[in-house]
Amino acid sequence: MSYTALAGAETHPHPHPHSAETGMRAGIIPTASVCLGALALTLAYLQATLRGDQPRGLTHLPDITHCVLKQPERGVFLTLFMPACMGMAASWLMGATSCKYAWRLGLAACFLLVMSEAMLDAHPNWTLHTIGATGFFLLTMVAQCLRAWHPAGEGQWSLTAKRVIAVFNVCVLLLDGALSLLKQPAWTSNLCEWTLAFTVVAYHATFAHDLRHARLNLVPPTSSEASPPA
């Protein structure tokens, strides 16, 4: 079997043993998204603190946005994180077709995140940035929970990981809201934001595991590829 459609990758993770090994491995996309996203977030904090643009230490922890308001932090972050957003959108298309609402919400969340990050320039549009970032986290939480409780034949490890991460993210989001209502120091809410950013990205590692045997072709297979020999 040759994987010519994104929807086919999730429900048919194991190609026919006689099929030609054609096309790109579908799991590369979520894997690259996780790596780029985690690297972008890590470098954002390290550059901002090492250059003295933001204070160091846990009790002075800045939010993600303020770590990437200046150059070269902003340039490095966008160069890495924008492709990660595109990859995460593709991951939702390939890895969440068992639940139509999950992949649609996942795509919408990625669009909001791209919009939010596009507002980061010398004079940020804080309204659109806040709407995009908040919408991304909220829609992603819902999409992750929906996908985690709509199995698609993946292994127990992957399904368990999805559910653990989804529940953990919801708990962190609720904790963040409680800390804000109780008017706790800003760094506590910022810590929740950083934690969510990393775990939201990490969720896509489960898609990489699900799609590790799948192939993604950009052109239809030939008749010989579509039909394995008898």
Side-chain angles (χ1 to χ4, degrees), residues 47-211:
Q47 283 186 304
T49 54
L50 292 176
R51 286 172 49 84
D53 294 330
Q54 293 295 329
R56 302 182 190 182
L58 180 62
T59 57
H60 300 288
L61 183 68
D63 61 27
I64 298 173
T65 300
H66 282 84
C67 284
V68 295
L69 287 181
K70 296 182 179 181
Q71 295 288 11
E73 295 96 307
R74 182 169 70 245
V76 173
F77 180 76
L78 293 180
T79 299
L80 295 172
F81 207 71
M82 284 297 193
C85 290
M86 298 297 98
M88 286 189 286
S91 296
W92 280 112
L93 278 173
M94 294 187 293
T97 54
S98 63
C99 179
K100 63 180 180 180
Y101 298 109
W103 71 260
R104 288 173 179 172
L105 289 173
L107 282 181
C110 291
F111 171 79
L112 288 174
L113 184 58
V114 169
M115 180 193 76
S116 174
E117 302 309 322
M119 298 299 105
L120 296 179
D121 56 18
H123 302 285
N125 185 321
W126 291 111
T127 300
L128 290 180
H129 173 74
T130 302
I131 292 174
T134 303
F136 165 75
F137 280 116
L138 292 177
L139 291 184
T140 297
M141 298 298 106
V142 177
Q144 288 182 348
C145 290
L146 287 173
R147 176 60 184 84
W149 272 271
H150 283 79
E154 66 265 56
Q156 187 60 44
W157 178 91
S158 179
L159 186 61
T160 300
K162 286 183 178 67
R163 291 177 176 177
V164 169
I165 294 174
V167 171
F168 177 80
N169 286 347
V170 171
C171 291
V172 174
L173 189 65
L174 293 175
L175 175 62
D176 187 17
L179 291 171
S180 298
L181 289 175
L182 295 174
K183 300 186 183 302
Q184 295 301 302
W187 70 266
T188 58
S189 182
N190 294 340
L191 180 60
C192 290
E193 180 189 36
W194 282 98
T195 303
L196 279 175
F198 277 104
T199 52
V200 162
V201 170
Y203 187 92
H204 290 265
T206 66
F207 291 150
H209 184 269
D210 299 340
L211 301 167

Side-chain angles (χ1 to χ4, degrees), residues 210-222:
D210 299 340
L211 301 167
R212 65 192 184 282
H213 297 299
R215 294 279 177 169
L216 182 64
N217 288 331
L218 300 181
V219 293
T222 64

